[in-house]
Structure formats: structure tokens, C-alpha cells
Amino acid sequence: MRILSWLGSGAGVVVLLLALTLIYLVAALGIAPPISNGNITASFFPVVLGLIMMVALAVSMLGDRRKAAAERDDKPSTEAGASTSFGPLAVVVLTAVYIALFSSLGYFISTTLYAFAMTLVFSAGRPAPGQLLVKALIAVAIAVLGYGLFEWVFQVRLPVLWG
């Protein structure tokens, strides 16, 4: 049970994301060099996104360390009554499910479901039915904007359910 507590913590999520990002970068670099003969290749954007994620994780780790040091200096440590939030673990699990369903359900369905689930994870309390509709519309908007970004800006075809 202690491992679940650690995985649910901010440090556990950062370590899991770091491992997944390293695997992602290795796979992206295995496609082709990011730049060949002065032109960008298929691996350019995945490598750039992986590097951005690595920098973001490093910033997160530094922020967590500074926060922990400040808390240690401000007050004595009390381990009793510390509650564990499973929000970070839910994000990792939802992301894994999204990746698993992406190729079979296609971009629109999997991304809309993922964005909707993420809004539920980050919302406080149980949302009202009207809020669920707004969250669903936001999820659809995210999927449409993401599709436009990849299709027209990056010129990358995304898998779709209808072929």
C-alpha cells in the first residue's frame, strides 16, 4: 500500500512521467534523426515535445524540492493525518488508457474522452449536470483544435475511426 501512496504523490508521478518520456524520446529518435539534409523529419516534433517535457519535469522536480525544503524549515514534520491524493495517479492511468485506445478509437473519440476525463479529475467535487455539458463541449473543442493543429500546422495525419 505504501507504493500506491508514493505513486499517488507528486514525486511518484514525476518519476513515472520521466520514465515514460525517456522511452518516448528513445522511440522518437529511433524513427530518424530529427534533422536530415537541412530538412526536418518525422521525428522532429516528437523529439521537441519530448525535450520540452523533460524540461518541464526538471522544473517540477526543482519546485517540489524547494517547496519541501521550505516546509521543513517552517514547521516540524507531522506524518499523522497526512492524506494521499490520487489525482496524479489518475492522470497517469488516464494517459495510459488514452495511449492504448488512440489507434483503435481514432483521434477524435479518444482525445475527447481523455480531455473530458481530465476535466473531471481536476474539477473540485461532483460537477452539476450543466457543468458536465460545458466540460463535454470543452473536450470536443480541445479535440477539434488539436486536430487542426496537427493536420494543418504540423501536417501530420492522425488516426480517425472512420478511416
Side-chain angles (χ1 to χ4, degrees):
M1 195 60 158
R2 189 170 184 187
I3 188 74
L4 285 178
S5 173
W6 181 78
L7 285 175
S9 71
V13 171
V14 169
V15 169
L16 284 173
L17 288 175
L18 184 61
L20 290 173
T21 304
L22 286 173
I23 293 168
Y24 175 82
L25 270 173
V26 169
L29 288 170
I31 295 171
I35 298 176
S36 177
N37 297 328
N39 296 322
I40 60 174
T41 64
S43 70
F44 179 79
F45 287 111
V47 168
V48 168
L49 290 175
L51 291 174
I52 290 171
M53 183 69 170
M54 296 291 279
V55 169
L57 288 169
V59 168
S60 176
M61 288 180 356
L62 286 173
D64 287 347
R65 289 186 62 140
R66 287 182 182 152
K67 182 179 174 184
E71 287 175 357
R72 230 183 356 251
D73 292 342
D74 288 345
K75 56 185 171 184
S77 67
T78 57
E79 292 187 32
S83 65
T84 303
S85 170
F86 287 101
L89 182 60
V91 170
V92 172
V93 170
L94 286 172
T95 304
V97 170
Y98 172 65
I99 291 168
L101 295 177
F102 187 81
S103 62
S104 60
L105 289 181
Y107 172 80
F108 280 114
I109 294 173
S110 61
T111 301
T112 302
L113 290 174
Y114 177 70
F116 182 71
M118 293 300 274
T119 61
L120 292 177
V121 167
F122 288 110
S123 65
R126 177 175 279 178
Q131 289 177 330
L132 288 175
L133 179 62
V134 170
K135 290 178 186 305
L137 291 173
I138 289 171
V140 169
I142 289 170
V144 168
L145 290 172
Y147 185 79
L149 177 72
F150 278 95
E151 194 69 30
W152 295 309
V153 175
F154 298 145
Q155 296 182 349
V156 173
R157 291 200 45 103
L158 296 170
V160 289
L161 184 62
W162 55 85

